[in-house]
Amino acid sequence: MNVPFLNRYRHGEFLQYLKDVSQLLGEQDMAALQLTAQYDALQPVVASIDTAFKQSQASEITTELTNLDDQRDKALTGLRSVINGYQYHYQETIVNAASVLQANIDQHGNNIQRLSYQEETVVLSSIIADWQGDKELIEAVKNLNLDKWLTHLQTTNTSFATRYLARVEQQAANPSEDIPTFREEATTAYRDLVAHLNAHATLNTAPQHTILLEQISVLAGQYNQVVENRTNSSAADTSQDGDIIEDNDIISRVTAP
């Protein structure tokens, strides 16, 4: 049986998967299949996620975060592409400067743009601090004429951090938007439901249990494929320096399990 990558689904995918599962279950007689309690436990939390997701999408700050994150991702990609090109320069001074900057970025990881929002903010702040505080790196930035690139990266990253905190404050003022908490509750309810389904299927109390398990397995496989396709697409859509760019979740990036 396919197991859904629940913690890798984006919020919208997670919500729709549970809606689809609920629909499959709703087409059967839950009372006859002795699944009423488990089915009923899942429905309210799915409804809460639905409401929170719609509220989140409607937030102007969420849109700002998405745009600012895209800008800083592009700034980092641009910097790494320029630096990578300069490593083939005919002047040794330029090559050395590019190598120094590239080494510093590499120290902070190869997949910076795939980190969570918070983690990327911290990493970029660290890189910026290095480039503005270390004499060798300061000279390298000057030699490659990357001052404006660095300023742009710093501006977008700082703006992102400011608006992210504003989004946190907005969410704190409206607990109904706490999607991560709802997801944890929904995951627990879903797994409990599947566990009961498996138990009944093992006992062979009704053929519908096995049918439902097969349907959920197919559904999970389809949603998992979306995740796999996105991962493969992101890996293929790399810049010359090998950095991977991935779309964002509404609130935070989704990491591997």
Side-chain angles (χ1 to χ4, degrees):
M1 178 176 179
N2 291 310
V3 177
F5 302 155
L6 292 180
N7 61 336
R8 294 178 65 186
Y9 293 168
R10 293 173 178 172
H11 290 332
E13 295 164 350
F14 183 92
L15 172 61
Q16 192 57 51
Y17 174 76
L18 291 185
K19 281 186 172 182
D20 289 345
V21 169
S22 295
Q23 182 174 339
L24 290 174
L25 293 168
E27 293 173 355
Q28 302 290 335
D29 186 341
M30 291 293 96
L33 297 180
Q34 302 178 57
L35 294 172
T36 301
Q38 292 71 36
Y39 177 80
D40 289 347
L42 182 62
Q43 300 318 301
V45 69
V46 171
S48 295
I49 295 175
D50 193 12
T51 299
F53 183 67
K54 291 175 181 176
Q55 291 174 341
S56 175
Q57 284 187 310
S59 169
E60 292 182 2
I61 298 179
T62 296
T63 301
E64 288 183 59
L65 286 176
T66 300
N67 292 335
L68 285 168
D69 186 58
D70 182 59
Q71 289 181 42
R72 67 179 183 177
D73 283 354
K74 288 180 178 178
L76 180 60
T77 298
L79 272 170
R80 298 191 69 169
S81 296
V82 171
I83 291 170
N84 182 68
Y86 273 131
Q87 292 186 78
Y88 300 95
H89 201 274
Y90 54 86
Q91 291 184 5
E92 186 176 355
T93 301
I94 299 298
V95 173
N96 290 338
S99 297
V100 167
L101 293 175
Q102 184 64 60
N104 179 261
I105 294 177
D106 290 343
Q107 288 176 4
H108 294 85
N110 294 324
N111 298 321
I112 297 172
Q113 289 139 301
R114 295 188 66 186
L115 297 173
S116 69
Y117 274 167
Q118 307 94 309
E119 290 174 317
E120 182 176 352
T121 299
V122 172
V123 170
L124 290 180
S125 296
S126 179
I127 292 174
I128 293 166
D130 288 347
W131 290 19
Q132 293 179 335
D134 183 273
K135 290 183 178 180
E136 184 179 23
L137 294 173
I138 292 174
E139 187 66 22
V141 170
K142 181 179 179 181
N143 288 337
L144 300 187
N145 195 28
L146 297 178
D147 302 83
K148 291 183 178 180
W149 274 103
L150 181 57
T151 298
H152 176 61
L153 179 63
Q154 181 178 27
T155 298
T156 54
N157 194 53
T158 300
S159 296
F160 181 91
T162 300
R163 298 309 289 159
Y164 183 84
L165 288 178
R167 181 70 178 119
V168 170
E169 292 171 358
Q170 185 183 72
Q171 287 180 293
N174 187 0
S176 66
E177 290 189 37
D178 192 4
I179 297 179
T181 297
F182 292 144
R183 285 186 62 151
E184 290 179 6
E185 295 175 4
T187 297
T188 298
Y190 169 81
R191 289 174 176 168
D192 183 53
L193 179 108
V194 172
H196 277 76
L197 256 177
N198 273 310
H200 285 298
T202 300
L203 294 173
N204 196 28
T205 55
Q208 286 83 0
H209 292 118
T210 299
I211 292 173
L212 278 172
L213 282 175
E214 291 175 351
Q215 291 174 337
I216 292 174
S217 176
V218 171
L219 186 67
Q222 292 173 348
Y223 275 78
N224 290 350
Q225 190 60 54
V226 171
V227 174
E228 295 292 352
N229 290 344
R230 180 166 60 241
T231 301
N232 294 335
S233 176
S234 297
D237 185 20
T238 56
S239 60
Q240 291 180 344
D241 55 5
D243 211 31
I244 300 176
I245 305 172
E246 185 170 285
D247 291 337
N248 298 323
D249 207 341
I250 296 299
I251 305 302
S252 62
R253 288 204 177 101
V254 177
T255 57

